[in-house]
Amino acid sequence: MSETSTRCGFVALVGAPNVGKSTLLNRLVGGKVSIVTPKVQTTRTRIRGIAIVDTCQLVFVDTPGIFSPKQRLDRAMVDAAWSAAGDADATVLMVDAAKKLRGGTHEIIERLRKFDAPLLVALNKIDQTPRPHLLSLAAELSERSGVQDIFMISAANGDGVEDLRTHLASAMPTGVWHYPEDQLSDLPMRLTAAEISREQAFLQLHQELPYALTVETDQWQPFKDGSVRVEQTLYVQRDSQKAIVLGKGGRTIKRIRSSAQEQLADMLGQPVHLFINVKVRENWMDDPTRYREWGLRFDA
Ligand SMILES: Nc1nc2c(ncn2[C@@H]2O[C@H](COP(=O)(O)OP(=O)(O)OP(=O)(O)O)[C@@H](O)[C@H]2O)c(=O)[nH]1
Ligand SMILES: [Mg+2]
């Protein structure tokens, strides 16, 4: 196809933590690319997912939730969200319609407006939202912030998502496709594998623990029999956290490991031997190495 007959562009998905950005990314591309949990601040960096609508290739960029950052990692996460919006050809601000409009939403809209790209608002979780509340939210957004393109969607069941996707495709600039036609994501497999283990850790651990840990893939060794050996380190900040992650007789880490292994094998379509080593590294959040691989700015 010649350059002028195709279109290609980047769409940033931004919003507060837990509004459903990663769920929407997966829905838009039709496969699991970004991890999803019921906990806030699950996504820690930009995760790209790719979809095709007719002659248009859309590169959706899932981002960490925007919140008031306290520590270095929080700052790097929020910075990644804003920079994705700054680079985008269109931005979708997602709002959890099942809740009251969060303080700061209008300020975020104002700041997003300063970028040239068109801004759309997606009111998500309409499957959980009474109609009158949905309409009053839409009215408040259009009256106070002058937002015109408001979509009502459920990322979870797909309602309204196709409409949004088609609308976004029509807003993309002409240009050559950035990725091969069948590609769903550009995250290297070792990072995807680390995310899958982190997702299980988020699901199976509670309170401050999910936020005190990170996972990295150290070794990726394919075997002739078609299986792959994956070695990972799960870093925590304190001995007491390590004890909880391991659990009595190693039960907790065993559960995390076996669910992650199953998911990874499913995703790869090949047998996986997953090993997770739990290490205490008090200052992992202040180590630049932990940021580089994930494309996060250490000094954000
Ligand atoms: N009922 C309902 N739940 C949803 C919908 N979309 C997402 N969720 C749920 O909301 C929770 C958060 O979803 P995520 O996709 O992880 O949200 P996020 O915005 O990526 O969150 P962070 O990465 O933490 O910023 C999960 O439990 C999802 O299953 C929806 O349309 N309806
Ligand atoms: Mg997310």
Side-chain angles (χ1 to χ4, degrees), residues 57-125:
Q57 183 169 62
L58 289 145
V59 185
F60 295 103
V61 188
D62 182 20
T63 62
I66 295 174
F67 62 104
S68 302
K70 291 194 190 76
Q71 36 187 5
R72 183 190 290 277
L73 178 61
D74 302 345
R75 284 196 297 277
M77 285 162 57
V78 174
D79 170 74
W82 284 112
S83 88
D87 290 343
D89 297 294
T91 297
V92 178
L93 172 69
M94 286 185 77
V95 169
D96 184 340
K99 296 201 175 130
K100 273 196 175 158
L101 200 59
R102 275 173 75 112
T105 306
H106 295 292
E107 286 73 18
I108 291 176
I109 292 176
E110 230 164 83
R111 191 165 158 193
L112 289 171
R113 277 252 176 75
K114 298 205 172 103
F115 300 123
D116 290 333
L119 174 66
L120 288 68
V121 170
L123 300 179
N124 188 35
K125 309 196 186 182

Side-chain angles (χ1 to χ4, degrees), residues 22 35 43 62:
S22 304
I35 63 170
T43 306
D62 182 20

Side-chain angles (χ1 to χ4, degrees), residues 253-272:
I253 189 66
K254 270 186 202 152
R255 271 208 315 268
I256 293 173
R257 191 207 69 82
S258 76
S259 326
Q261 176 174 276
E262 196 177 313
Q263 282 243 359
L264 195 56
D266 251 20
M267 196 175 249
L268 294 174
Q270 66 186 121
V272 172

Side-chain angles (χ1 to χ4, degrees), residues 41-272:
Q41 293 158 40
T42 299
T43 306
R44 286 191 180 161
T45 189
R46 281 158 294 210
I47 304 284
R48 282 182 285 270
I50 305 148
I52 312 262
V53 175
D54 298 325
T55 58
C56 178
Q57 183 169 62
L58 289 145
V59 185
F60 295 103
V61 188
D62 182 20
T63 62
I66 295 174
F67 62 104
S68 302
K70 291 194 190 76
Q71 36 187 5
R72 183 190 290 277
L73 178 61
D74 302 345
R75 284 196 297 277
M77 285 162 57
V78 174
D79 170 74
W82 284 112
S83 88
D87 290 343
D89 297 294
T91 297
V92 178
L93 172 69
M94 286 185 77
V95 169
D96 184 340
K99 296 201 175 130
K100 273 196 175 158
L101 200 59
R102 275 173 75 112
T105 306
H106 295 292
E107 286 73 18
I108 291 176
I109 292 176
E110 230 164 83
R111 191 165 158 193
L112 289 171
R113 277 252 176 75
K114 298 205 172 103
F115 300 123
D116 290 333
L119 174 66
L120 288 68
V121 170
L123 300 179
N124 188 35
K125 309 196 186 182
I126 58 168
D127 56 291
Q128 279 190 335
T129 313
R131 188 93 192 146
H133 179 62
L134 196 58
L135 297 177
S136 79
L137 256 185
E140 183 179 349
L141 283 162
S142 75
E143 277 159 29
R144 204 165 139 207
S145 285
V147 184
Q148 286 177 346
D149 290 315
I150 299 178
F151 289 78
M152 299 181 184
I153 65 166
S154 167
N157 70 19
D159 275 355
V161 173
E162 197 45 46
D163 232 26
L164 174 66
R165 213 168 73 116
T166 314
H167 183 92
L168 286 165
S170 70
M172 293 296 106
T174 54
V176 288
W177 290 3
H178 292 317
Y179 297 97
E181 188 167 347
D182 53 1
Q183 198 169 327
L184 218 59
S185 150
D186 69 351
L187 200 64
M189 235 19 252
R190 44 188 298 135
L191 294 190
T192 301
E195 284 292 81
I196 286 175
S197 296
R198 198 167 62 80
E199 183 179 46
Q200 287 308 320
F202 259 59
L203 291 171
Q204 300 191 35
L205 300 166
H206 305 287
Q207 282 144 7
E208 96 288 1
L209 259 170
Y211 307 102
L213 65 82
T214 189
V215 179
E216 291 193 6
T217 303
D218 308 313
Q219 293 283 340
W220 187 281
Q221 194 186 356
F223 292 116
K224 281 207 189 89
D225 67 2
S227 65
V228 59
R229 179 187 168 99
V230 181
E231 282 177 43
Q232 298 180 331
T233 304
L234 187 158
Y235 294 103
V236 288
Q237 294 165 311
R238 290 195 294 277
D239 283 325
S240 56
Q241 294 167 340
K242 179 171 173 174
I244 301 172
V245 173
L246 295 177
K248 220 176 182 183
R251 245 177 263 155
T252 306
I253 189 66
K254 270 186 202 152
R255 271 208 315 268
I256 293 173
R257 191 207 69 82
S258 76
S259 326
Q261 176 174 276
E262 196 177 313
Q263 282 243 359
L264 195 56
D266 251 20
M267 196 175 249
L268 294 174
Q270 66 186 121
V272 172

